[in-house]
């Protein structure tokens, strides 16, 4: 048994050693998708006064030209995905050459993961952006718009998107696959040297279970009118995991374990998991990136620097959650961008409450971290 461990160890070490290079290569390979069809779609014709739709042409393949205004509106969300991947590739290089700075690899991993999830719905991006541009301007100039069309605007957009019936092209699937592979490689590289002791597994398990229980409790509290998300402190234990154990373990606990279980128990359907739960809760890991500044070795009691970065970290986590839930509202429910942001703004209230509690227990948390240090 011991010989097997000794033989396997160099293999695992070598794999993690070159994981950054694999992440770099797979990130660059994502751009090959631009040379392939990104979406397969129908066009649509419509008559504004009667609000009638018909297919304009047979389904055809559209490539990278849609990112720059060809065949309709600029599909800016997909364009941002490729820009994000380029940023992630740069962070992989920085994370490799700046030793002991695995935070860069974790940020790259989060970008790759978010990009992979959003590539899955890139056909929806095309339909939405194209509908907003081609239908929006036309209907505002159509007869009777002021008298009643405004009330049916969302319905009109959704029906236009359904008529276009866009599907994923092989290019989007290619970029999605290599984004996920790049994320896995970044995770392997960032976890090199990490250890999972019995104490770590127990603590992470108990805190994750606590978060799930809190989610069930707050699930029965009515939402604020007009808000898609309820106010909750269920993420508080997950923030503690990210602070104590770092961004990588915080991500696994929040986006994977907590996200999957709460998606199942909330009862809204797994079609919401990629954006509302996976992307939304992956933001918890962002707080773990500030761990050295909050629970550093020289910090023994309340201090301004730690308090500031607790607030900044939870705020950034809320921004990531807003992106995930906001895009879910746009794609799954047909909201406009402004309406989606307003409907999910309560995530900042929840994050603010969690930040206030973390600041209040910052001193005891430092003491716990000193008495029961995490083996990193």
């Amino acid at each position: 048994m011991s010989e097997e461990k000794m033989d396997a160890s160099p293999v695992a070490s070598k794999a993690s050693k070159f994981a950054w290079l694999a992440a770099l290569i797979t990130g660059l390979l994502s751009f090959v998708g631009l040379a392939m069809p990104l979406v397969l779609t129908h066009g649509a014709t419509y008559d504004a006064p009667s609000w009638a739709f018909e297919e304009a042409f047979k389904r055809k393949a559209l490539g990278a030209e849609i990112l720059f205004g060809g065949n309709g509106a600029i599909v800016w969300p997909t364009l941002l995905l490729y820009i994000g991947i380029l940023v992630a590739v740069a962070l992989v290089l920085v994370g490799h050459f700046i030793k002991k700075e695995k935070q860069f690899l974790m940020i790259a991993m989060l970008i790759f993961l978010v990009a992979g999830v959003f590539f899955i719905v890139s056909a929806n991006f095309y339909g939405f952006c194209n509908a907003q541009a081609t239908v929006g301007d036309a209907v505002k100039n159509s007869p009777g718009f002021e008298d009643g069309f405004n009330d049916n605007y969302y319905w009109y957009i959704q029906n236009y998107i359904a008529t276009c019936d866009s599907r994923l092209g092989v290019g989007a699937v290619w970029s999605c696959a290599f984004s996920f592979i790049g994320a896995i490689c970044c995770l392997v590289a960032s976890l090199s040297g990490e250890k999972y002791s019995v104490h770590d597994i127990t603590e992470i398990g108990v805190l994750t279970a606590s978060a799930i229980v809190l989610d069930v409790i707050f699930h029965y509290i009515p939402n604020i009118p007009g808000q898609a998300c309820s106010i909750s402190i269920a993420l508080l234990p997950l923030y503690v995991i990210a602070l104590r154990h770092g961004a990588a373990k915080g991500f696994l606990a929040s986006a994977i374990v907590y996200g999957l279980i709460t998606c199942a128990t909330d009862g809204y359907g797994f079609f919401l998991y990629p954006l509302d739960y996976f992307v939304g809760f992956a933001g918890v890991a962002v707080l773990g990136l500030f761990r050295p500044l909050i629970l550093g070795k020289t910090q023994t009691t309340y201090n301004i620097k730690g308090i500031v970065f607790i607030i900044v970290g939870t705020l950034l986590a809320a921004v990531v959650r807003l992106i995930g839930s906001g895009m879910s509202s746009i794609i799954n429910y047909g909201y406009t961008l402004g309406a989606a942001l307003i409907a999910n703004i309560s995530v900042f209230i929840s994050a603010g409450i969690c930040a206030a509690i973390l600041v209040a227990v910052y001193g005891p948390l430092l003491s716990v971290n000193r008495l029961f240090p995490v083996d990193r």
Side-chain angles (χ1 to χ4, degrees), residues 1-11:
M1 181 66 71
S2 60
E3 290 181 359
E4 290 180 1
K5 286 185 178 180
M6 291 178 64
D7 291 337
S9 180
V11 175

Side-chain angles (χ1 to χ4, degrees), residues 181-328:
I181 295 172
I184 293 171
C185 293
C186 285
L187 183 62
V188 171
S190 62
L191 284 174
S192 61
E194 293 276 1
K195 298 179 181 179
Y196 283 90
S197 66
V198 175
H199 174 272
D200 292 344
I201 295 173
T202 303
E203 181 179 324
I204 292 173
V206 169
L207 288 172
T208 304
S210 301
I212 294 170
V213 171
L214 287 173
D215 176 76
V216 173
I217 294 173
F218 279 91
H219 184 69
Y220 292 98
I221 297 178
N223 292 4
I224 298 175
Q227 290 294 294
C229 302
S230 61
I231 296 176
S232 170
I233 61 168
L235 297 185
L236 183 62
L238 301 177
Y239 284 130
V240 175
I241 293 175
L243 279 177
R244 287 266 293 154
H245 299 271
K249 295 176 182 177
F251 166 78
L252 293 174
S254 57
I256 304 299
V257 180
Y258 176 82
L260 279 171
I261 293 176
T262 54
C263 182
T265 57
D266 286 351
Y268 296 119
F270 276 101
F271 73 98
L272 294 176
Y273 173 73
L275 296 175
D276 277 298
Y277 294 86
F278 184 81
V279 174
F281 296 142
V284 171
V286 174
L287 184 60
L289 299 174
F290 299 99
R291 182 182 186 276
L293 302 171
I294 299 172
L295 298 180
K297 294 181 180 179
T298 59
Q299 295 161 301
T300 58
T301 186
Y302 289 94
N303 60 89
I304 296 299
K305 183 174 73 172
I307 291 173
V308 168
F309 282 106
I310 286 175
I311 296 172
V312 170
T314 51
L315 177 63
L316 291 176
V319 170
V320 175
R321 188 178 179 192
L322 180 64
I323 292 173
S325 296
M327 283 300 177
S328 177

Side-chain angles (χ1 to χ4, degrees), residues 46-270:
Y46 57 94
D47 179 66
S50 63
W51 307 344
F53 302 90
E54 290 184 1
E55 293 179 5
F57 47 77
K58 293 182 178 180
R59 190 184 302 280
K60 68 177 183 179
L62 303 178
E65 69 270 14
I66 66 173
L67 305 183
F68 307 99
N71 291 287
I74 296 176
V75 186
W76 56 267
T78 306
L79 180 61
L80 289 179
L81 294 182
Y82 283 106
I83 294 174
I85 290 175
L86 192 61
V87 172
V89 168
L91 289 172
V92 169
L93 287 172
V94 174
H96 174 69
F97 289 108
I98 299 181
K99 302 300 181 182
K100 299 181 180 180
E101 291 295 333
K102 295 180 180 178
Q103 290 91 333
F104 291 106
L105 290 169
M106 275 304 304
I107 297 173
M109 185 208 73
L110 290 173
I111 294 175
F112 277 131
L113 280 172
V114 170
V117 171
F118 278 97
F119 273 124
I120 295 174
V121 293
S122 56
N124 301 75
F125 288 151
Y126 172 78
F128 180 78
C129 291
N130 193 44
Q132 287 280 67
T134 58
V135 178
D137 292 338
V139 298
K140 289 178 181 178
N141 299 321
S142 65
F145 173 73
E146 297 296 338
D147 297 331
F149 188 84
N150 192 39
D151 295 334
N152 298 290
Y153 182 68
Y154 294 144
W155 172 88
Y156 197 85
I157 291 290
Q158 288 175 329
N159 279 270
Y160 182 86
I161 294 172
T163 304
C164 288
D165 187 26
S166 301
R167 297 179 183 176
L168 285 179
V170 65
V173 175
W174 173 283
S175 298
C176 171
F178 279 101
S179 295
F180 281 131
I181 295 172
I184 293 171
C185 293
C186 285
L187 183 62
V188 171
S190 62
L191 284 174
S192 61
E194 293 276 1
K195 298 179 181 179
Y196 283 90
S197 66
V198 175
H199 174 272
D200 292 344
I201 295 173
T202 303
E203 181 179 324
I204 292 173
V206 169
L207 288 172
T208 304
S210 301
I212 294 170
V213 171
L214 287 173
D215 176 76
V216 173
I217 294 173
F218 279 91
H219 184 69
Y220 292 98
I221 297 178
N223 292 4
I224 298 175
Q227 290 294 294
C229 302
S230 61
I231 296 176
S232 170
I233 61 168
L235 297 185
L236 183 62
L238 301 177
Y239 284 130
V240 175
I241 293 175
L243 279 177
R244 287 266 293 154
H245 299 271
K249 295 176 182 177
F251 166 78
L252 293 174
S254 57
I256 304 299
V257 180
Y258 176 82
L260 279 171
I261 293 176
T262 54
C263 182
T265 57
D266 286 351
Y268 296 119
F270 276 101

